């Protein structure tokens, strides 16, 4: 884990409570909303392209206590990332909304929430998201002091006006803490909200069914649902270990078993945590913001993940689809540093005949920056005089401390023809994708920058077969069945010139 201080309030501390983290839709760089307890301000930290944290104050009120219960979402407009915030004005008892306009902050009073009895504690009371049109939707906790009732409310912006609705309110009860809102695009951009029922200790869920709010109990185990879910449906979580005052991280592939680890154990750290994920190929990169109670600082952690994968392999001097006896070829491969740290590693190219190695070459590559790719040129290979034979080729990367070994190997086979003179290659005239079981064949009429990947029936990417340039010709890939259980899958090819999808069934 790489841990850094995003804001220490000029060494005075008192910043980082109610931290909420989001990743920019264009840059995937983190931005964090949080509360400056020392100055009672809403603050905003964003990581710039050079790795420096830039701190701003969306609401610098000198008279009111603003920023508690804050949340952040980042929109996109005209090629710019637009951070937007929901938060409380504790002095006035208002729900507030702020939006960055490039040089100034626009602020709006959304609704009255009453004199909340939980101000000054670790209660996170608002959640903001955007619909596909960029309109903000906010779920938030409010308080009716007359009836001593805490309740959940929902606001969304329509034609410049805030439309307010009460999601759940039960007289003298206390519901709506730590809300988390998402917009379900498949059902007409309707809001779904998870939240905590403090009166009963339930984790609850509200769904708008176009006429009323349908309320479900997710878990009625006492205390379950406190601090909410940072990303609904996600199998990645950051959380606070109250017994040891540590920040922890957990993930699961299927909710059946969880891997857990400590992120930061220095002092009392980890409260007011928020997690977001960025994705590259088959890897999820966690980003976590949290509060350092000991030092009063806002902190940010990212996990160092090392992964280098081969993207493609070929024989550079090959003419036509086959090799020929006693001919010389130059094996080459493209490799990509898919991790988030600089890597130096070995790349192996092996060729086998009848299961026995006939050629091996090892080239050291690096240092290779994150997201950088390189073409590796191996030692020349002279094909033995085996006619009418198949050769098995394998290229793989050997990186110390690799985080994902499963995608480090690329395999292919090639036929040694009887002819001693190579036949000219026939270039395909159109894009074609053919799939049979675990075998994938792709015809490319011209040099193409493309992606070829595997989706399961739920639409989740399970495997990336290729990413980057493909030369004109016929390319063959094989699905790594060890990474895919039996079932139905969709092979998808994406490029500017063509988009193709084919279905396959894997049965062992």
């Amino acid at each position: 884990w790489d841990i850094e201080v995003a804001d220490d309030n000029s060494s005075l501390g008192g910043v980082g409570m109610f931290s909420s983290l989001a990743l920019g839709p264009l840059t995937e760089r983190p931005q964090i909303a949080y509360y400056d307890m020392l100055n009672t301000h809403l603050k905003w930290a964003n990581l710039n392209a050079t790795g420096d944290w830039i701190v701003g104050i969306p609401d610098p009120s000198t008279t009111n206590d603003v920023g508690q219960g804050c949340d952040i979402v980042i929109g996109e407009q005209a090629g710019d990332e637009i951070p937007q915030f929901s938060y409380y004005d504790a002095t006035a008892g208002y729900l507030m909304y702020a939006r960055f306009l490039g040089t100034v902050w626009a602020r709006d009073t959304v609704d009255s929430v009453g004199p909340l009895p939980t101000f000054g504690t670790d209660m996170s009371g608002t959640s903001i998201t955007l619909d596909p049109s960029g309109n903000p939707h906010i779920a938030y906790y409010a308080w009716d002091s007359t009836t001593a009732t805490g309740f959940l409310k929902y606001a969304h912006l329509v034609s410049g006006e805030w439309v307010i609705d009460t999601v759940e309110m039960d007289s003298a009860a206390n519901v709506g803490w730590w809300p988390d809102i998402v917009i379900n695009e498949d059902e007409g951009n309707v809001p779904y909200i998870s939240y905590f029922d403090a009166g009963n200790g339930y984790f609850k869920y509200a769904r708008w069914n176009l006429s009323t709010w349908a309320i479900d109990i997710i878990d009625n185990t006492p205390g379950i649902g406190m601090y909410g879910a940072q990303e609904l449906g996600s199998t990645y979580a950051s959380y606070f270990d109250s017994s040891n005052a540590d920040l922890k991280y957990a993930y699961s592939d299927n909710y059946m078993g969880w891997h857990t680890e400590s992120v930061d154990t220095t002092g009392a750290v980890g409260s007011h945590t928020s997690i977001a994920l960025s994705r590259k190929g088959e890897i999820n990169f966690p980003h976590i913001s949290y509060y350092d109670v000991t030092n009063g600082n806002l902190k940010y952690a990212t996990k160092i993940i090392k992964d280098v994968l081969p993207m493609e392999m070929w024989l550079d001097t090959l003419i036509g689809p086959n090799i020929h006896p006693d001919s010389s070829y130059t094996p080459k491969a493209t490799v990509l540093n898919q991790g988030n740290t600089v890597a130096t590693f070995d790349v192996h190219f092996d060729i086998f005949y009848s299961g026995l190695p006939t050629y091996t070459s090892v080239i050291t590559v690096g240092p290779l920056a994150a997201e950088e790719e390189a073409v590796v040129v191996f030692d020349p290979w002279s094909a033995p005089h085996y006619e009418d034979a198949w050769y098995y080729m394998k290229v793989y990367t050997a990186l110390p401390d690799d985080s994902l070994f499963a995608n480090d190997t690329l395999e292919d086979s090639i036929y040694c023809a009887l002819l001693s003179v190579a036949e000219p290659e026939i270039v395909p005239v159109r894009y074609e994708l053919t799939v049979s079981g675990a075998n994938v064949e792709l015809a490319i009429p011209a040099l193409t920058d493309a992606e070829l990947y595997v989706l399961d029936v739920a639409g989740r990417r399970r495997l990336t077969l290729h990413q980057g340039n493909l030369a004109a010709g016929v390319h063959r890939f094989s699905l790594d069945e060890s990474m895919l259980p039996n079932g139905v899958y969709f092979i998808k090819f994406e490029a500017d010139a063509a988009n193709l999808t084919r279905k396959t069934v894997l049965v062992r």
Side-chain angles (χ1 to χ4, degrees):
W1 288 94
D2 179 51
I3 299 171
E4 57 189 286
V5 174
D7 185 8
D8 65 358
N9 224 356
S10 301
S11 300
L12 297 176
V15 290
M17 293 181 69
F18 307 101
S19 78
S20 173
L21 182 147
L23 300 179
L26 301 176
T27 64
E28 285 199 337
R29 291 196 296 268
Q31 301 189 31
I32 308 172
Y34 56 104
Y35 176 59
D36 181 341
M37 181 173 56
L38 193 65
N39 297 295
T40 64
H41 288 162
L42 170 68
K43 297 188 79 173
W44 165 62
N46 69 97
L47 191 65
N48 67 13
T50 61
D52 298 318
W53 287 99
I54 306 302
V55 175
I57 305 177
D59 192 335
S61 175
T62 58
T63 57
N64 290 15
D65 183 338
V66 295
Q68 295 193 53
C70 58
D71 194 32
I72 184 174
V73 66
I74 305 173
E76 178 185 346
Q77 183 175 324
D80 293 326
E81 293 177 344
I82 310 297
Q84 302 175 51
F85 306 86
S86 59
Y87 59 100
Y88 289 129
D89 179 331
T91 304
Y94 289 149
L95 170 69
M96 302 293 294
Y97 166 75
R99 181 173 185 269
F100 190 51
L101 300 181
T103 56
V104 297
W105 292 94
R107 290 179 292 274
D108 196 7
T109 299
V110 180
D111 189 21
S112 173
V113 296
L116 295 183
T118 52
F119 276 136
T121 73
D122 60 356
M123 189 276 296
S124 179
T126 78
S127 176
I128 185 171
T129 191
L130 303 176
D131 62 28
S133 299
N135 299 311
H137 298 249
I138 305 175
Y140 55 105
Y141 174 72
W143 176 258
D144 183 345
S145 57
T146 302
T147 60
T149 300
F151 56 106
L152 178 65
K153 301 189 76 174
Y154 162 69
H156 64 291
L157 196 61
V158 179
S159 300
E161 298 292 335
W162 289 99
V163 178
I164 311 294
D165 194 15
T166 295
V167 179
E168 184 182 10
M169 182 177 186
D170 187 6
S171 182
N174 200 0
V175 298
W177 285 23
W178 300 297
D180 192 352
I181 186 171
V182 295
I183 296 297
N184 190 322
E185 298 180 26
D186 296 334
E187 297 186 7
N189 298 330
V190 296
Y192 283 17
I193 306 171
S194 70
Y195 57 101
F196 185 60
D197 180 336
N200 294 299
Y202 294 163
F203 190 30
K204 303 179 80 171
Y205 201 61
R207 297 170 290 114
W208 179 248
N209 60 17
L210 303 181
S211 60
T212 60
W213 290 96
I215 309 294
D216 300 324
I217 296 176
I218 298 176
D219 196 325
N220 61 4
T221 304
I224 292 294
M226 299 177 70
Y227 297 96
Q230 296 298 332
E231 191 166 331
L232 297 182
S234 171
T235 53
Y236 294 78
S238 63
Y239 57 103
F240 179 55
D241 177 351
S242 59
S243 299
N244 299 293
D246 295 339
L247 174 67
K248 302 198 75 174
Y249 163 72
Y251 66 86
S252 171
D253 292 328
N254 55 13
Y255 291 103
M256 301 298 289
W258 288 83
H259 164 84
T260 62
E261 62 185 80
S262 296
V263 178
D264 192 350
T265 60
T266 305
V269 293
S271 61
H272 304 278
T273 179
S274 178
I275 187 171
L277 301 173
S278 60
R279 187 176 180 88
K280 295 172 185 168
E282 300 303 308
I283 301 180
N284 284 313
F285 294 81
H287 307 253
I288 302 174
S289 66
Y290 57 102
Y291 182 50
D292 180 336
V293 177
T294 300
N295 297 294
N297 296 339
L298 170 69
K299 299 182 82 173
Y300 166 74
T302 52
K303 191 171 180 63
I304 297 299
I305 296 179
K306 299 180 179 180
D307 184 59
V308 178
L309 68 158
M311 302 295 291
E312 58 180 333
M313 59 192 294
W314 70 95
L315 301 178
D316 193 48
T317 45
L318 178 66
I319 300 176
N322 305 324
I323 62 170
H324 304 280
D326 301 323
S327 299
S328 181
Y329 303 94
T330 303
K332 291 186 178 182
T334 301
V335 294
L336 170 69
N337 182 2
Q338 192 176 243
N340 58 357
T341 187
V342 174
T344 299
F345 52 95
D346 290 339
V347 187
H348 297 246
F349 200 117
D350 297 332
I351 303 177
F352 301 83
Y353 171 71
S354 296
L356 299 176
T358 67
Y359 166 88
T360 186
S361 179
V362 182
I363 303 295
T364 299
V365 177
L368 199 65
E371 300 187 54
E372 183 180 0
E373 67 177 40
V375 175
V376 186
V377 181
F378 297 91
D379 299 331
W381 171 55
S382 295
H385 193 83
Y386 298 136
E387 297 178 345
D388 193 23
W390 282 95
Y391 287 90
Y392 165 68
M393 303 188 301
K394 179 172 73 171
V395 62
Y396 62 96
T397 58
L399 171 68
D401 304 320
D402 194 291
S403 303
L404 195 66
F405 291 104
N407 65 2
D408 294 346
T409 301
L410 192 63
E411 300 168 301
D412 203 352
S413 57
I414 194 165
Y415 180 66
C416 184
L418 290 169
L419 299 175
S420 59
V421 179
E423 297 180 353
E425 181 180 7
I426 300 175
V427 178
V429 296
R430 62 179 178 271
Y431 292 90
E432 292 185 1
L433 178 62
T434 306
V435 182
S436 177
N439 299 311
V440 180
E441 185 173 286
L442 179 64
I444 302 290
L447 179 67
T448 303
D449 185 13
E451 265 194 294
L452 184 68
Y453 54 91
V454 182
L455 301 174
D456 59 21
V457 291
R460 296 172 298 195
R461 184 182 294 214
R462 300 297 298 271
L463 197 64
T464 298
L465 300 177
H466 177 84
Q467 187 177 38
N469 286 330
L470 279 169
V474 177
H475 303 266
R476 295 174 180 86
F477 304 86
S478 180
L479 303 183
D480 184 354
E481 298 185 42
S482 65
M483 297 180 63
L484 301 171
N486 291 343
V488 177
Y489 296 91
F490 296 92
I491 316 301
K492 191 169 182 65
F493 170 78
E494 283 190 357
D496 290 341
N499 284 278
L500 304 173
T501 303
R502 299 290 183 267
K503 184 172 75 173
T504 189
V505 180
L506 294 183
V507 180
R508 297 175 185 83

